[in-house]
Amino acid sequence: GLWWTYFADEQSVTEAMRRADHVRRARMGVTGFGYWHYAMLLAIVAIAAALKKATGHPYDEASTFAAVALGAGVALFLAADAAFRRVLGIAGAGPRACAALVAPLTIPLGFVAASLQIAALVALLAALVVSRLPLHRAAPAPRRASPPAPPH
């Protein structure tokens, strides 16, 4: 899920960097690809550590560390991704920031069963990805023209 939230629109990132002048591009590189990516990497490490602990016994309650690291790690990743997008001026920062606020709410599920928390986080990430897919609606069927009104 994290992969698809991050790599959902690489073209936008490329275009944002291409449009920026050299001074802004340098700032975007240091802030976006530097600082915010450090936060994303820290989040990935926290998530990996939590999953290592939680997936061994998925139907047992997760340890406090695993439940908190999993919920907080996903929240940190999404918040950092939102900040990265804001720095580059590309779409998608708002929904990621909102999902980052929801992710820690899954922590209590981990105390019931690790698999419940993991499933809730996967559902959250899937909803985020699906909500960003472009919708292609079929053109409405042409209507037959109504006959002209009879003259009076």
Side-chain angles (χ1 to χ4, degrees):
L2 296 176
W3 171 271
W4 292 112
T5 61
Y6 181 78
F7 290 108
D9 52 358
E10 293 178 68
Q11 187 66 29
S12 297
V13 174
T14 304
E15 288 301 317
M17 294 298 282
R18 188 174 294 135
R19 281 191 315 266
D21 64 59
H22 69 283
V23 173
R24 173 125 171 79
R25 189 177 307 121
R27 282 193 204 126
M28 289 165 57
V30 170
T31 306
F33 289 98
Y35 302 134
W36 292 119
H37 274 74
Y38 290 140
M40 282 187 250
L41 290 172
L42 177 63
I44 290 168
V45 169
I47 293 165
L51 287 174
K52 183 178 188 311
K53 294 283 187 188
T55 55
H57 303 281
Y59 301 109
D60 295 340
E61 66 181 51
S63 67
T64 301
F65 166 79
V68 171
L70 194 55
V74 171
L76 176 59
F77 183 90
L78 292 170
D81 190 17
F84 166 72
R85 289 169 176 283
R86 190 166 303 277
V87 165
L88 268 65
I90 59 176
R96 283 166 176 79
C98 290
L101 295 173
V102 173
L105 299 177
T106 66
I107 293 171
L109 294 175
F111 297 132
V112 176
S115 58
L116 283 177
Q117 184 180 13
I118 294 167
L121 288 168
V122 168
L124 174 65
L125 293 171
L128 180 62
V129 170
V130 169
S131 72
R132 301 299 303 163
L133 293 176
L135 296 177
H136 299 288
R137 296 184 183 187
R143 292 173 143 185
R144 290 188 354 195
S146 57
H152 291 280

